Amino acid sequence: MEIYIVLIGLVFLAGLLYVGKGYWAWVSFVASLLGAWYVGNVGPSWLFHSAAGFALAMAALLGLPALRRAIVSKSLMRWVGGILPVMGDTERTALEAGSVWWDGDLFSGTPNWRKLLDFPAPKLTEKEQAFLDGPVENLCAMINDWKIFQDRAIPDEVWAFMRKHKFFGMVIPENFGGLGFSALAHSAVVTKLSSRSSTVAVTVMVPNSLGPGELLVHYGTDEQKAYYLPRLASGEEIPCFALTEPTAGSDAAATTSTGIVCRGAYEGKEVLGIRLNWTKRYITLAPVATVIGLAFRMHDPDGLLGDTSDLGITCALIPRELPGIEIGDRHDPMGVPFLNGPIFGHDVFVPMSAVIGGVGGVGNGWRMLMEALAAGRAISLPSLSVGAAELATRVVGAYGSVREQFNLPIGRFEGIEEVIARIAGYTYLMNGARTLTCGAVDAGEKPAVLTGIVKAYLTDGMRTVLNDAMDVQAGAAICRGPKNILGRAYVAVPVAITVEGANILTRSLIVYGQGAIRSHPFVRDEMEAVATRDLARFDRAFFGHVNFACRNLIRVLFDRLSGGRLLTVPTQGPSGRYFRRLSRFSTAFAVISDVALAVYGGSLKRREMVSGRLADALSWLYLGSTTLKKFHDDGYQPRDEAVMRWAMELTMVKIDTALRGVLDNLPNRFLSATLGWIVFGFAGRMRAPSDRLSSTVAAAILSGGALRDHLTSDIYIPPAQEEGLGRLEATLRKINEAQPIKTKFRESALTGKHGTDLNGSLDKAIEAGAITREEKDQLLGAEKARLETIQVDVFDSDTYLGLR
């Protein structure tokens, strides 16, 4: 009889799992009722009456929607409403901007890997590739980044070249004179330019990112598009976008800039317009901008447009030459000489036609900005970060072979191998995230959570990679001058970390703060149902959420007990086990996320250490997904297997650490321990990439072979005669070509026929027949190039005092 009781319990549990799923709940409850009847016939009558009564009551209470709403859901909605955070208008607008894509799969606990792998691999068109191989390559050749830093300005001829080839019009459609490039092409241009000069890269990416051009394309009136877009594409007009203020940084919606609807004189006529006052700072291109995109809060105190006084955040285009504008001064962000400065406006009057979108655009500025950022965050700073990472990979691979200490290339030391492997692994992972996210944008998605992830975690990855690369180059990296390859990119890192939403706030407020509402299958419905007092919608969402949570809880326990062996994965190759692990972690994330939402309620928004860890877990789930997608799209190349495995092992550690961190800090220790056992059992923490794997990756980078070329295929490689990377590359080729000669020389020295000193023993090696005279010259030439390449810049006193 006991076995039947257990079976009844399991069937009844299935009923709970199907609550909110219609008749399936009834089927399960009725089955449990019949089972109870059977048990009552072969056992004590009280057991039948108790089990039958309970099953019938639960079936009626939870299986009849009308009864459930009246008795259960109505009380639940009041309770849930008391713990959920209040959603303001600006937050609601931010949530409505953009779309849910792969983040929805990750939140579901059951990601559809086939859907991800079948997503078309992002590719450039022939026209876009030709632009990269032509104008972009030529622009890189024109740039002398050291001179730009010293002159504090981009040369006029570089500005003229960028205008001529429409670098400022990449996002503007061809019918308006622009290039009409994809997000992937825009990203590829910024990636290559940033490997040459962060100053030039920023100058190009800003007009193509959040600003007048992007906003006009999507929201401008026909007249505004016809007038401005051709001028922006040709560079006749240089735009900037003024959003940030001293008291409104990451909280941009708290703007104090105002626009009052009134009548005034404009170009000799009295028109209906707006009188503007603002104080903006950190505005890139402001010192040279000819047209200002301005975000401000618009007011209509006299009712000239209608009955509403506070019309909301609005965006307008302001010509630079209007009276009342103060512009031209500069900030100095970490010494990186891209144009950036404050803008002030005092009683600046513009006509209503200045509003982007005309009268219809009044009050819609915040939505415009959020929708533009939902896609734009995927491109500019992630691309700049990948360019820096590829440059670092290229440099350390060469420098680790060229620089010697203790008669060994420094790359042969395990401490250096560990760092080089980390640089390569991050670069591979970051580029996978860049290309897939751009591909999603080109497919019409505006995945706000995922673009927030790539902005925050790729710029942070750039910081990790450049810190490591600086350590490898050591003294050569910290001495400024034309020979220094990495130093100018290194000082730009804090700028990338800070702009377009500081990473600390992006991590907790956007990635998880918005992600938990936007990407979760039920939370947003629950919040909106509570806000609108829609009981039927709340009932469906809440009990759907219960079903979702129970299923994931059982799934995570089953997967843990089975080791995930029964999970379906799209491939059984070298990446197969990582799909399986990510699936298990996705389920664990869904469970722990739901527990955190239940435990903390609305206060989770303020518990940023908790939400930050959940953001880490979600972000690394996405980065791991993009890494596996890249390995798939590249054709499962044996060349990439070791670096893919390194990146995925790192991903596993990051997710494991984040999820355990959430559990470790739950206020209820019993809940923490119980959930920890369900999710992780008694398994130890995930292990970092092994020493053997790191050595394998480092060796592939140091060899100057296919993996190094593949990881750095998006950057500019200077000619051999150029100081810095050009000379380093040329020296690496000479050393690699001379290495067999050096090996023969050293093997001969072991016989005692001559010494090991290259300066004094080469002639004796020739006499011994170990090498030829031509080989001696080749070896000495390589050693001479090595010595010249590791030199750093030296300045006389007068020149030094004039350095900037």
Side-chain angles (χ1 to χ4, degrees):
M1 185 176 69
E2 288 79 1
I3 187 63
Y4 290 112
I5 294 174
V6 172
L7 290 173
I8 291 168
L10 290 176
V11 173
F12 185 78
L13 178 61
L16 288 177
L17 295 183
Y18 282 105
V19 165
K21 294 294 183 180
Y23 68 88
W24 283 108
W26 267 103
V27 170
S28 298
F29 286 131
V30 170
S32 66
L33 178 62
L34 292 174
W37 174 82
Y38 175 79
V39 170
N41 277 300
V42 298
S45 61
W46 65 265
L47 183 60
F48 164 71
H49 292 299
S50 300
F54 182 72
L56 187 60
M58 292 300 292
L61 189 61
L62 298 178
L64 289 172
L67 186 63
R68 186 178 67 220
R69 291 169 193 161
I71 298 176
V72 179
S73 299
K74 195 171 184 179
S75 299
L76 279 173
M77 190 165 78
R78 284 197 298 268
W79 175 71
V80 170
I83 64 173
L84 286 177
V86 177
M87 190 188 303
D89 291 339
T90 55
E91 187 175 7
R92 183 176 291 105
T93 300
L95 288 171
E96 291 170 352
S99 58
V100 176
W101 188 55
W102 186 245
D103 44 325
D105 277 71
L106 297 176
F107 256 98
S108 75
T110 55
N112 183 348
W113 296 114
R114 180 47 54 193
K115 179 181 82 172
L116 181 69
L117 297 189
D118 288 345
F119 183 79
K123 294 187 182 300
L124 299 172
T125 65
E126 290 184 7
K127 177 185 174 183
E128 291 168 344
Q129 187 63 56
F131 188 78
L132 277 172
D133 296 338
V136 179
E137 190 79 6
N138 294 335
L139 176 59
C140 288
M142 295 174 67
I143 295 169
N144 182 332
D145 198 40
W146 170 250
K147 190 173 188 303
I148 289 173
F149 263 70
Q150 291 305 298
D151 293 345
R152 315 298 294 159
I154 295 173
D156 291 343
E157 60 270 22
V158 173
W159 277 102
F161 186 90
M162 292 190 292
R163 285 187 170 99
K164 177 181 177 181
H165 293 279
K166 301 184 178 180
F167 276 83
F168 303 127
M170 288 190 288
V171 301
I172 295 175
E174 291 182 273
N175 58 311
F176 286 106
L179 296 175
F181 280 175
S182 64
L184 183 65
H186 177 188
S187 172
V189 171
V190 174
T191 298
K192 179 169 275 194
L193 289 178
S194 66
S195 71
R196 187 61 163 163
S197 169
S198 57
T199 301
V200 175
V202 168
T203 302
V204 167
M205 76 190 193
V206 166
N208 291 286
S209 183
L210 175 62
E214 176 81 3
L215 295 176
L216 284 170
V217 167
H218 295 290
Y219 311 108
T221 65
D222 290 341
E223 293 79 7
Q224 289 170 339
K225 291 177 181 179
Y227 180 80
Y228 277 112
L229 289 181
R231 288 168 170 78
L232 291 170
S234 67
E236 179 183 346
E237 299 273 11
I238 298 295
C240 70
F241 193 82
L243 178 63
T244 304
E245 302 173 6
T247 58
S250 296
D251 183 13
T255 178
T256 59
S257 300
T258 60
I260 306 299
V261 180
C262 62
R263 302 194 71 83
Y266 189 81
E267 295 182 345
K269 298 178 181 179
E270 183 177 314
V271 298
L272 182 65
I274 313 162
R275 193 164 303 282
L276 296 158
N277 286 274
W278 73 82
T279 298
K280 302 287 187 177
R281 66 179 183 181
Y282 308 151
I283 311 305
T284 299
L285 294 183
V288 295
T290 60
V291 60
I292 304 162
L294 184 73
F296 59 94
R297 185 168 290 279
M298 192 164 169
H299 300 275
D300 185 14
D302 298 327
L304 298 177
L305 296 180
D307 297 331
T308 304
S309 176
D310 186 351
L311 300 176
I313 294 175
T314 302
C315 296
L317 296 175
I318 317 297
R320 175 193 179 106
E321 69 274 5
L322 291 182
I325 296 176
E326 295 179 31
I327 191 171
D329 291 342
R330 294 181 64 170
H331 299 306
D332 186 13
M334 294 300 295
V336 183
F338 66 91
L339 291 153
N340 185 278
I343 312 177
F344 305 95
H346 307 282
D347 291 334
V348 179
F349 183 80
V350 295
M352 290 298 300
S353 59
V355 174
I356 295 177
V359 175
V362 171
N364 289 318
W366 187 245
R367 176 179 60 84
M368 295 177 185
L369 295 174
M370 291 301 97
E371 289 179 350
L373 275 174
R377 277 196 182 105
I379 303 170
S380 298
L381 293 169
S383 306
L384 186 144
S385 300
V386 169
E390 291 195 18
L391 176 65
T393 301
R394 193 83 188 179
V395 169
V396 298
Y399 197 79
S401 297
V402 170
R403 181 79 166 113
E404 287 190 349
Q405 290 288 274
F406 308 103
N407 293 319
L408 280 175
I410 62 171
R412 297 271 295 278
F413 293 95
E414 286 194 355
I416 301 294
E417 283 185 341
E418 180 183 18
V419 171
I420 291 176
R422 185 161 57 235
I423 291 170
Y426 264 92
T427 300
Y428 184 81
L429 176 147
M430 290 165 64
N431 210 5
R434 175 187 73 89
T435 54
L436 181 61
T437 312
C438 285
V441 172
D442 285 328
E445 299 289 344
K446 291 185 177 180
V449 172
L450 300 183
T451 59
I453 287 172
V454 293
K455 186 277 165 181
Y457 288 79
L458 266 60
T459 54
D460 197 63
M462 172 175 62
R463 172 162 53 189
T464 297
V465 165
L466 284 175
N467 277 339
D468 281 342
M470 294 286 286
D471 285 349
V472 172
Q473 274 211 297
I478 64 174
C479 289
R480 296 201 308 148
K483 293 183 173 70
N484 189 303
I485 308 170
L486 298 173
R488 293 181 294 279
Y490 177 79
V491 297
V493 168
V495 179
I497 295 288
T498 302
V499 299
E500 286 189 12
N503 281 5
I504 290 175
L505 292 182
T506 298
R507 173 177 175 250
S508 54
L509 295 184
I510 295 177
V511 174
Y512 190 77
Q514 288 190 17
I517 301 173
R518 183 196 297 270
S519 308
H520 192 286
F522 297 102
V523 169
R524 185 174 175 185
D525 266 355
E526 290 169 323
M527 292 181 68
E528 291 181 351
V530 168
T532 59
R533 300 183 180 276
D534 187 336
L535 184 59
R537 183 181 181 186
F538 174 80
D539 178 81
R540 289 191 301 272
F542 182 83
F543 284 101
H545 195 164
V546 170
N547 168 268
F548 171 78
C550 291
R551 284 179 169 220
N552 278 327
L553 188 64
I554 292 173
R555 184 181 293 114
V556 78
L557 177 60
F558 182 78
D559 288 344
R560 198 262 292 168
L561 293 175
S562 66
R565 293 178 182 86
L566 300 181
L567 288 170
T568 302
V569 295
T571 178
Q572 297 299 325
S575 59
R577 59 177 169 170
Y578 297 117
F579 282 108
R580 187 171 288 109
R581 288 184 187 177
L582 281 185
S583 290
R584 292 181 61 188
F585 270 132
S586 174
T587 309
F589 169 74
V591 169
I592 294 172
S593 181
D594 274 336
V595 169
L597 288 167
V599 169
Y600 296 108
S603 68
L604 183 58
K605 190 174 182 180
R606 300 185 299 275
R607 300 296 296 267
E608 293 180 11
M609 286 186 275
V610 177
S611 63
R613 294 184 187 101
L614 289 166
D616 290 341
L618 175 62
S619 298
W620 283 96
L621 279 166
Y622 180 63
L623 295 175
S625 301
T626 62
T627 299
L628 295 178
K629 170 67 170 167
K630 177 175 174 56
F631 189 61
H632 167 79
D633 288 348
D634 289 344
Y636 300 102
Q637 296 295 324
R639 168 201 68 202
D640 301 335
E641 182 179 338
V643 74
M644 178 277 293
R645 287 174 51 214
W646 194 101
M648 290 309 301
E649 294 293 335
L650 174 70
T651 297
M652 299 301 117
V653 171
K654 295 286 190 179
I655 301 171
D656 184 73
T657 301
L659 293 180
R660 288 179 188 270
V662 176
L663 294 181
D664 289 345
N665 288 277
L666 287 176
N668 187 306
R669 301 313 302 155
F670 176 77
L671 176 62
S672 172
T674 303
L675 197 58
W677 179 83
I678 292 173
V679 174
F680 298 109
F682 300 107
R685 295 179 182 266
M686 299 295 293
R687 296 178 180 176
S690 68
D691 294 347
R692 177 178 295 180
L693 181 58
S694 293
S695 293
T696 300
V697 173
I701 299 300
L702 290 162
S703 69
L707 179 61
R708 177 172 177 263
D709 289 340
H710 176 63
L711 290 184
T712 62
S713 60
D714 303 298
I715 66 172
Y716 175 73
I717 309 299
Q721 66 272 18
E722 184 178 303
E723 294 277 17
L725 182 58
R727 178 167 289 185
L728 180 62
E729 287 287 307
T731 299
L732 177 64
R733 286 193 295 271
K734 291 180 180 179
I735 288 173
N736 285 340
E737 291 167 358
Q739 188 57 45
I741 305 170
K742 195 170 189 177
T743 299
K744 288 194 299 181
F745 171 76
R746 285 179 171 169
E747 289 174 350
S748 176
L750 293 176
T751 66
K753 295 178 180 178
H754 54 79
T756 59
D757 179 23
L758 291 180
N759 292 325
S761 301
L762 287 176
D763 288 335
K764 291 183 179 179
I766 294 172
E767 293 172 5
I771 61 172
T772 66
R773 190 164 297 282
E774 289 76 14
E775 288 175 329
K776 169 192 171 183
D777 293 339
Q778 184 178 353
L779 186 55
L780 288 176
E783 292 304 312
K784 180 182 178 183
R786 183 200 305 274
L787 184 61
E788 291 174 348
T789 300
I790 64 173
Q791 301 303 313
V792 299
D793 292 284
V794 178
F795 306 97
D796 60 48
S797 297
D798 291 340
T799 304
Y800 176 79
L801 292 174
L803 293 180
R804 305 178 70 175

